[in-house]
Amino acid sequence: MQDQSLADLRKTYAQHELSEAAADADGLRQFRRWLDEALQAQLDEPTAMTVATVGPDGQPSARIVLLKGLPDDAGFLFYTNYDSRKGQEMATTPKAALTFFWPGLERQVRVEGTVEKAPEAQSTEYFQSRPRSSQVGAWASPQSQPIASREVLEQREAEIEQRFAGQDPLPRPPHWGGYVVRPHRIEFWQGRPSRLHDRLLYEKTATGWQRSRLAP
């Protein structure tokens, strides 16, 4: 595909609008409202989100993970390997940015906040609710570390299966668990015609959320 043909790709957004009158005054309640609508619309992977972190050298990195909860309506919960690149980066700089994109509804949500580990008991409960194959995989994979081949990974999987033969559920690995992103900034983007999109920004204050409109 030539660059020119990429430049010519465009779509008119006209499904919905986002007005101050219709939006919730609370940023997390507004997010839950939009997430519920994405679930009801049966979009593909409605809980998929980009998680962006930053390394010690200031280099940002991003990847897609799945949202697994909104604990106490005060944060965004996901699970991963603590020793992964994102885990190491969050240990050094406990901040993250999240992006949800729901093209079927012509919507995007951007989140910025601080990061903390989820309680160990919560991580264990979730880990042991996963399919056994996923539990084995979490033990077998040294996430983000170089490995010599696919065969090495499969051998590690076989070794873990043998190690925990007859045991179900498996214990949670000490290197695996949840993170909660506590937001201080949430932006809701609704596609509109003529690229005059609606953008409502919620910023956390000592007394609640302050809302403002941003130019598209």
Side-chain angles (χ1 to χ4, degrees):
M1 182 178 291
Q2 300 297 315
D3 289 345
Q4 184 59 46
S5 59
L6 288 176
D8 290 340
L9 293 174
R10 57 181 49 85
K11 176 183 177 181
T12 296
Y13 300 121
Q15 287 191 42
H16 306 281
E17 63 181 42
L18 179 60
S19 68
E20 288 83 348
D24 199 291
D26 184 281
L28 280 161
R29 285 202 303 263
Q30 178 62 30
F31 176 81
R32 186 176 288 278
R33 179 187 297 179
W34 268 21
L35 177 61
D36 287 343
E37 291 177 9
L39 292 168
Q40 292 166 12
Q42 299 184 328
L43 304 180
D44 287 340
E45 299 288 9
T47 61
M49 60 183 184
T50 300
V51 177
T53 54
V54 63
D57 60 353
Q59 174 63 52
S61 62
R63 73 289 292 160
I64 306 295
V65 305
L66 299 180
L67 176 70
K68 290 300 181 181
L70 296 166
D72 303 322
D73 287 331
F76 297 78
L77 172 67
F78 66 96
Y79 294 90
T80 190
N81 187 312
Y82 294 147
D83 297 332
S84 65
R85 179 177 178 182
K86 58 184 170 298
Q88 293 181 34
E89 291 182 346
M90 288 186 293
T92 301
T93 305
K95 299 179 180 181
L98 314 175
T99 303
F100 295 83
F101 182 46
W102 298 310
L105 295 173
E106 300 172 350
R107 288 174 175 171
Q108 176 182 205
V109 181
R110 300 170 59 197
V111 178
E112 297 175 17
T114 57
V115 179
E116 62 190 51
K117 284 185 177 179
E120 290 191 10
Q122 182 179 19
S123 292
T124 298
E125 180 180 9
Y126 174 71
F127 179 81
Q128 294 184 332
S129 74
R130 305 172 83 208
R132 180 183 172 84
S133 59
S134 297
Q135 296 177 42
V136 171
W139 275 99
S141 174
Q143 192 175 107
S144 300
Q145 304 303 311
I147 56 174
S149 66
R150 174 77 188 186
E151 288 71 27
V152 169
L153 193 60
E154 293 172 351
Q155 178 61 36
R156 289 175 61 95
E157 180 185 32
E159 291 170 355
I160 294 299
E161 286 281 17
Q162 183 177 15
R163 174 181 172 184
F164 293 110
Q167 189 170 346
D168 190 18
L170 276 60
R172 178 176 62 90
H175 58 261
W176 193 97
Y179 289 96
V180 178
V181 178
R182 303 287 185 185
H184 55 74
R185 181 184 176 102
I186 307 176
E187 181 193 321
F188 296 87
W189 179 98
Q190 177 66 64
R192 297 296 304 277
S194 303
R195 295 298 186 261
L196 296 179
H197 311 302
D198 288 327
R199 295 174 64 188
L200 292 187
L201 172 64
Y202 291 72
E203 294 178 288
K204 190 75 165 151
T205 70
T207 57
W209 291 93
Q210 177 178 308
R211 190 176 63 190
S212 58
R213 177 172 287 267
L214 302 179

